[in-house]
């Protein structure tokens, strides 16, 4: 088996053109094993001997032959907006966001806007994705360990996380979006991304403890099981309704003694709902 290159190979200067894009590779389909507890887990390409997801192929993106320049502009804007973590900027510059939205919306994929992904759900703005992952990674010296994402949606954020964490467990309650994310992610050949259909309000105990938990849907409060599944020293980032009735980003860090909680800026996420549909 070929050794995987260390990551990041090279950190970008803010606004600099990322060296390589996270582009689709040859497609390889694997069956979805059942994990029980009403949760089905589809492993995205756990194949040995895979090509590195970081090795780009020349592809026609529908945005002209090179979408890298457009992404580099997006990264420069993210840096201007205050995103500082070079690992996050690098990852945002690598993942081809336009592949996660309908063709008709591909032209808007690198604008700082949320976009519909079907079934009434949205892919978050690049700025919000970057901000949340930056908060998740705060103080982390390098790659995170296992991360849990609640709300796979179209799979975009899972792809970004795959570059910044050793393993990504991502759970989605809507079958249609779970299937869409599988289809979107399969060509990228990301062996460390594990997609599950299930109720993320229960977390995913089998992968716990997590080095980070990130939710793309906002509830009235942070489910206690998420806190149980957090490793000591790890952070949880989730949109949550505050006492004033508005949704804000909440960051909870587990310490040896308990939990530290910070309420940050106002956000607008789709609601966290229970059950599978
Ligand atoms: N990270 C996603 C954003 C998707 S929007 C992306 O990059 O596209 C948030 C998603 O959370 C929606 O798809 C919604 O169906 C899902 N969701 C809401 N409640 C959930 C729950 N309890 N468990 C799992 N997914 C949930």
């Amino acid at each position: 088996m070929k050794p995987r290159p260390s990551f990041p190979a090279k950190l970008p200067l803010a606004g600099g053109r990322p060296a390589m894009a996270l582009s689709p590779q040859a497609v390889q389909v694997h069956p979805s094993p059942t994990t029980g507890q009403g949760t089905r887990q589809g492993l995205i390409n756990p194949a040995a001997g895979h090509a590195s997801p970081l090795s780009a192929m020349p592809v026609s993106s529908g945005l002209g032959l090179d979408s890298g320049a457009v992404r580099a502009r997006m990264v420069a804007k993210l840096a201007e907006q205050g995103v500082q973590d070079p690992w996050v900027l690098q990852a945002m510059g690598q993942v081809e966001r336009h592949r996660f939205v309908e063709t008709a919306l591909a032209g808007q994929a690198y604008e700082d806007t949320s976009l519909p992904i079907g079934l009434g759900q949205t892919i978050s703005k690049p700025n919000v994705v970057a901000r949340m992952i930056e908060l998740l990674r705060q103080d982390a010296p390098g790659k995170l360990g296992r991360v849990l994402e609640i709300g796979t949606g179209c799979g975009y954020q899972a792809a970004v996380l795959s570059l910044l964490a050793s393993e990504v467990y991502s759970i989605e309650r809507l079958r249609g979006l779970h299937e869409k994310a599988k289809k979107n992610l399969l060509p990228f050949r990301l062996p460390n991304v594990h997609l599950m259909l299930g109720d993320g309000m229960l977390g995913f105990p089998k992968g716990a403890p997590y080095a980070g938990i990130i939710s793309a849907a906002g509830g009235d409060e942070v489910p206690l099981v998420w806190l149980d599944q957090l490793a000591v020293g790890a952070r949880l980032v989730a949109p949550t309704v505050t006492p004033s009735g508005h949704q804000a980003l909440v960051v909870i860090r587990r310490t040896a003694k308990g939990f530290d909680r910070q309420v940050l800026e106002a956000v607008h996420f789709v609601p966290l709902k229970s059950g599978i549909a």
Side-chain angles (χ1 to χ4, degrees):
M1 181 166 132
K2 270 197 289 181
R4 298 184 68 182
S6 60
F7 178 83
K10 183 164 171 266
L11 293 176
L13 297 171
R17 198 199 136 149
M20 292 177 284
L22 184 55
S23 307
Q25 306 287 320
V27 179
Q28 197 171 348
V29 181
H30 288 264
S32 301
T34 299
T35 57
Q37 295 178 334
T39 301
R40 255 139 293 169
Q41 182 176 8
L43 294 183
I44 295 291
N45 202 4
H50 61 275
S52 160
L54 300 177
S55 56
M57 291 167 66
V59 284
S60 170
S61 62
L63 290 176
L65 266 183
D66 179 13
S67 63
V70 191
R71 261 193 316 285
R73 278 202 294 280
M74 177 188 81
V75 169
K77 192 158 175 219
L78 292 174
E80 275 170 30
Q81 290 168 326
V83 179
Q84 291 179 353
D85 185 335
W87 287 66
V88 174
L89 291 170
Q90 161 104 354
M92 295 295 293
Q94 278 181 273
V95 179
E96 297 184 328
R97 192 170 186 260
H98 64 276
R99 297 193 184 276
F100 292 84
V101 296
E102 298 302 327
T103 317
L105 298 173
Q108 295 173 60
Y110 298 104
E111 290 170 16
D112 199 22
T113 177
S114 55
L115 293 169
I117 53 174
L119 301 176
Q121 309 301 317
T122 50
I123 179 175
S124 312
K125 288 177 183 203
N127 179 261
V128 170
V129 172
R131 165 83 172 139
M132 287 178 78
I133 301 178
E134 187 170 57
L135 289 168
L136 193 74
R137 275 184 41 79
Q138 232 175 312
D139 307 330
K143 245 191 194 190
L144 287 169
R146 272 195 312 275
V147 164
L148 175 66
E149 178 191 38
I150 291 104
T152 313
C154 66
Y156 170 72
Q157 182 169 272
V160 177
L161 286 168
S162 79
L163 300 174
L164 301 169
S166 65
E167 300 291 329
V168 180
Y169 290 83
S170 182
I171 191 159
E172 171 58 53
R173 63 178 292 272
L174 297 178
R175 192 179 302 271
L177 286 178
H178 168 71
E179 294 300 330
K180 184 180 261 188
K182 271 208 280 198
K183 196 165 142 269
N184 286 343
L185 285 169
L186 205 56
F188 288 91
R189 306 191 65 178
L190 303 173
N192 63 339
V193 175
H194 314 293
L195 300 184
M196 287 97 60
L197 174 66
D199 182 358
M201 284 182 87
L202 308 173
F204 185 61
K206 281 190 180 169
Y210 294 101
I213 298 182
I214 186 165
S215 176
D220 288 340
E221 47 204 43
V222 172
L224 290 179
V225 287
W226 293 1
L227 301 182
D228 287 344
Q229 293 174 22
L230 209 53
V232 172
R235 282 188 169 78
L236 177 157
V237 182
T240 310
V241 176
T242 59
S244 63
H246 298 105
Q247 217 183 40
L249 272 189
V250 168
V251 177
I252 298 177
R253 179 168 176 272
R254 186 170 201 165
T255 67
K257 290 189 184 145
F259 296 93
D260 290 339
R261 182 184 166 107
Q262 272 179 294
V263 178
L264 304 173
E265 68 266 26
V267 283
H268 300 283
F269 277 79
V270 295
L272 182 70
K273 293 188 177 171
S274 61
I276 301 176

